[in-house]
Each structure stands twice: as C-alpha cells, then as structure tokens.
C-alpha cells in the first residue's frame, strides 16, 4: 500500500487521538459534530474504500498469524457501537473477526478478578477481536455506580479513594503486556452529544421496529450524564498511551463515526504491515509438481492453466 495513503489516513485520524499524558475535558476538547469538512456522500464513498482496505489487511493478518488486534469500543447508550461494527466490518472474512459484548457480570465472573472475563475473549494471533464495551466498564459504570464494587467482593482495604488510579495503572500495564506479546490494542470512544442521544432515544420510542432497543434504564442512566462525562474524561486522560491510544470519534453523524472507525482500524493494520508467508524452496518445488499434474489433466482444447493465462504475474512465476 502506498505511503501516501498511509500518511493521508494518519493525518485524518490525528485530531481524534488523545495525546498521552494530556488532560482531557470532553465538553471542551472534542466536538461530537466535527466532520473534517466532509460531505455525507463523500464520507460514504470513502467508507467503501476503507472497508475494502480492511478486507485486504485482515486477510494478510490472518495469513501471517503473528499479530492479533483488540479493538475496544466505548460509548454511552445510543452511541452507535453496533452500527459501527456492522458497517466497518461488513467486508472482512467473519472467520477472522470475533465480537464480544459485555453485560452485567455473572456470578462466576464476579468470583474472579475484574479483568478475568475480558482475558477470556482476547484475540488469537491472526484475529481481530472487538469488545463492544470493554474492560473500561470497570472504571466507568462501576465508578458511576460504586455499589457495584460491593458486588465484586473486594477486600475492604482495596475500596479506598485511590481505586480508580490503581485500576488505570493496572489496565495500562495489562495493555502494555498484550502489545509486547504481539497483540495491538486500539481504543475508540464514540463521543455523542446529549441532544443527539435524546433524539435517538425518541426515535427508538416512536418507531415500533426500534422499540426493542429502548429500555427505561437508558433514561435513568442519562440522568447521570455529567457523572459519565467526568468518568470518561478521567479515563481518557489516564489510559491513552503510546502503545494503546484512545481515539475520540465524533458520533453525532453516524456516517462520519463509521468512517473514522474504519480509518483508525486500517491505520493499526497498516502499521503492523502483515505479509503473506513465503513458502520454502522445498514447498515451492512441491507446488510446481502439483501444478504440472493439474495442467496435464486439462481437457482437450482447454488451456492448461486458465488462471495463469489471465494473470501475467502468475505466468511469470510459472516460468
């Protein structure tokens, strides 16, 4: 892939990246309606190109079987996580992608440390794993609802005011461990405005086919908007690192959020630059023997190798 495309993608997503060590204030630093001067029709066309690019790199990632990628998606209710996953991953091989959603922890999960259930869903080498909500719930929902700490059965002396700083540190170390072992971690926060959330909630109420997506609990959580904004700001400030950066994606326009997510994931894969494995000389000789046998089986009048006849590069290899 050309360096120009890689540089263009890097420039596009640059304003979305949270600089490590910076102090984030969501209400001041990131605009949920930002669209980089693009029009919707152009953004949709760019998304198609991005999906095609992802398909190519995902195939190479699987073939190389050396690196894995963990994509974490966080957002408030109606932020667009499901739609982002559906549109961005529409062109990739489903065998190479695994999506995990994390709901209220089970009794078994609560009997382990808070990262245990997320470890069970990590990608294998050659795979892209997507966390629809992630281990960051442990410093978001649990922080806004501290009663959940009681359910986690923590010792009393570990539930002090320093627990969030400690969890930030533990998460950073864990993500560093993953990246040191070949598993890239990229994190996207879909930044939705309060007004856009209100509109999307009303749509879910007004349209019968959307009713199933709405819960009265969504409105109860909305009442804690300011608490969540504070928790997100603290999380972004403390856990955007060089090895596992956060990107704050404007989410009021779904088409732009999906384009950004595709660009961020493509940038991650292009940075890995996975390559198809090269076969050994012995394996290459075996391929040529098999090829000659298949060519001899061609029916009378048919080309021995129709594929090579259509692709010059294959003919060159044959010679």
């Amino acid at each position: 892939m050309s360096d120009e495309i890689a540089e263009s993608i890097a420039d596009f997503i640059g304003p979305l990246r949270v600089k490590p060590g910076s102090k984030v204030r969501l209400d001041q630093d990131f605009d949920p309606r930002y669209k980089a001067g693009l029009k919707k029709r152009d953004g949709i066309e760019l998304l198609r190109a991005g999906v095609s690019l992802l398909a190519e790199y995902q195939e190479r990632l699987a073939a190389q079987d050396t690196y894995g990628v963990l994509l974490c998606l966080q957002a408030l209710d109606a932020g667009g996580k499901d739609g982002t996953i559906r549109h961005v991953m529409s062109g990739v091989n489903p065998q190479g992608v695994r999506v995990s959603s994390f709901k209220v922890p089970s009794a078994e999960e609560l009997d382990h440390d808070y990262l245990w259930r997320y470890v069970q869903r990590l990608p294998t080498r050659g795979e892209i794993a997507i966390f629809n909500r992630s281990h960051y719930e442990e410093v978001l929902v649990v922080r806004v609802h501290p009663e959940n700490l009681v359910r986690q059965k923590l010792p009393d002396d570990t539930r002090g005011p320093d627990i969030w700083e400690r969890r930030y540190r533990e998460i950073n170390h864990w993500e560093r461990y993953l990246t040191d072992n070949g598993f890239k971690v990229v994190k996207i926060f879909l930044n939705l405005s309060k007004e856009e959330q209100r509109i999307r909630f009303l749509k879910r109420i007004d349209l019968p086919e959307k009713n199933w997506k709405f819960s009265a609990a969504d409105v109860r959580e909305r009442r804690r908007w300011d608490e969540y904004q504070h928790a997100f700001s603290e999380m972004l400030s403390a856990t955007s690192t060089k090895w596992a950066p956060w990107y704050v994606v404007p989410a009021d326009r779904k088409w732009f959020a999906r384009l950004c997510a595709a660009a961020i994931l493509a940038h991650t894969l292009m940075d890995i630059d996975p390559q198809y494995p090269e076969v050994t000389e012995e394996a290459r000789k075996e391929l040529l023997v098999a090829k000659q046998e298949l060519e001899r089986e061609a029916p009378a009048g048919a080309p021995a190798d129709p594929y090579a006849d259509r692709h010059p590069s294959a003919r060159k290899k044959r010679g």
Side-chain angles (χ1 to χ4, degrees):
M1 192 59 61
S2 74
D3 291 339
E4 289 184 4
I5 294 177
E7 290 176 7
S8 178
I9 292 175
D11 289 343
F12 176 70
I13 66 175
L16 313 177
R17 185 168 179 156
V18 177
K19 184 179 178 181
S22 63
K23 182 69 173 178
V24 175
R25 283 287 303 274
L26 275 176
D27 58 344
Q28 297 178 9
D29 299 334
F30 295 96
D31 180 5
R33 296 195 62 77
Y34 171 76
K35 60 173 184 174
L38 290 175
K39 295 181 179 179
K40 184 175 181 178
R41 63 175 179 274
D42 297 325
I44 292 174
E45 187 59 36
L46 286 170
L47 178 59
R48 291 195 188 99
V51 168
S52 178
L53 186 65
L54 283 176
E56 175 192 342
Y57 272 87
Q58 184 249 342
E59 183 177 0
R60 286 164 52 175
L61 183 79
Q64 188 185 61
D65 198 30
T66 301
Y67 291 92
V69 174
L70 172 62
L71 173 62
C72 301
L73 278 178
Q74 289 291 153
L76 288 171
D77 295 317
K81 299 185 302 300
D82 293 344
T84 296
I85 294 170
R86 185 169 62 252
H87 285 81
V88 171
M89 309 308 293
S90 61
V92 303
N93 185 340
Q95 294 184 68
V97 178
R98 181 154 48 99
V99 180
S100 298
S101 297
F102 295 96
K103 308 295 184 182
V104 176
S106 67
E108 179 186 15
E109 290 168 342
L110 289 170
D111 272 338
H112 292 82
D113 65 271
Y114 71 93
L115 288 176
W116 180 81
R117 65 173 178 161
Y118 306 102
V119 173
Q120 314 306 308
R121 305 293 183 87
L122 287 173
T124 60
R125 300 192 190 278
E127 185 180 52
I128 298 172
I130 301 175
F131 283 1
N132 184 346
R133 300 187 187 271
S134 69
H135 46 291
Y136 284 96
E137 293 291 283
E138 307 298 333
V139 293
L140 292 169
V141 174
V142 177
R143 182 169 185 171
V144 174
H145 295 276
E147 63 272 16
N148 288 323
L149 286 175
V150 177
R151 297 182 64 239
Q152 291 183 352
K153 307 177 183 179
L154 296 173
D156 291 341
D157 61 356
T158 67
R159 296 203 299 265
D162 65 336
I163 186 171
W164 310 119
E165 292 298 328
R166 189 175 74 243
R167 285 195 172 185
Y168 295 148
R169 184 175 66 251
E170 291 164 349
I171 288 171
N172 286 341
H173 289 168
W174 182 56
E175 291 175 349
R176 183 60 184 263
Y177 166 78
L178 293 176
T179 59
D180 284 348
N181 282 275
F183 295 92
K184 299 294 185 179
V185 181
V186 61
K187 303 173 296 195
I188 294 175
F189 169 57
L190 297 172
N191 188 27
L192 189 70
S193 71
K194 192 173 185 180
E195 174 60 11
E196 181 63 22
Q197 187 193 58
R198 185 182 75 88
I199 293 171
R200 292 184 186 181
F201 279 172
L202 287 171
K203 182 177 181 181
R204 291 181 177 184
I205 294 171
D206 292 340
L207 298 180
E209 67 272 20
K210 300 285 187 180
N211 288 170
W212 66 274
K213 299 180 73 174
F214 185 77
S215 167
D218 296 339
V219 173
R220 289 197 297 270
E221 287 300 282
R222 178 177 165 82
R223 295 171 192 151
R224 296 176 177 263
W225 180 271
D226 291 341
E227 295 173 69
Y228 274 108
Q229 293 297 294
H230 175 72
F232 274 115
S233 295
E234 291 284 314
M235 174 201 76
L236 294 167
S237 301
T239 61
S240 188
T241 59
K242 182 179 179 181
W243 56 88
W246 272 107
Y247 293 88
V248 179
V249 168
D252 277 15
R253 295 178 172 89
K254 292 180 180 180
W255 62 268
F256 188 72
R258 293 161 184 169
L259 173 61
C260 291
I264 291 164
L265 184 54
H267 174 74
T268 302
L269 292 172
M270 294 174 78
D271 188 55
I272 295 172
D273 193 25
Q275 302 296 317
Y276 292 110
E278 292 189 10
V279 299
T280 64
E281 189 60 34
E282 181 179 354
R284 191 176 299 281
K285 290 178 181 178
E286 293 177 354
L287 288 174
L288 290 175
V289 170
K291 180 181 178 66
Q292 292 168 2
E293 180 178 341
L294 292 169
E295 288 178 336
R296 288 194 296 269
E297 294 177 7
D305 186 346
Y307 183 85
D309 289 342
R310 293 195 301 268
H311 295 80
S313 61
R315 287 201 300 271
K316 183 178 180 181
K317 290 178 183 177
R318 179 174 58 180

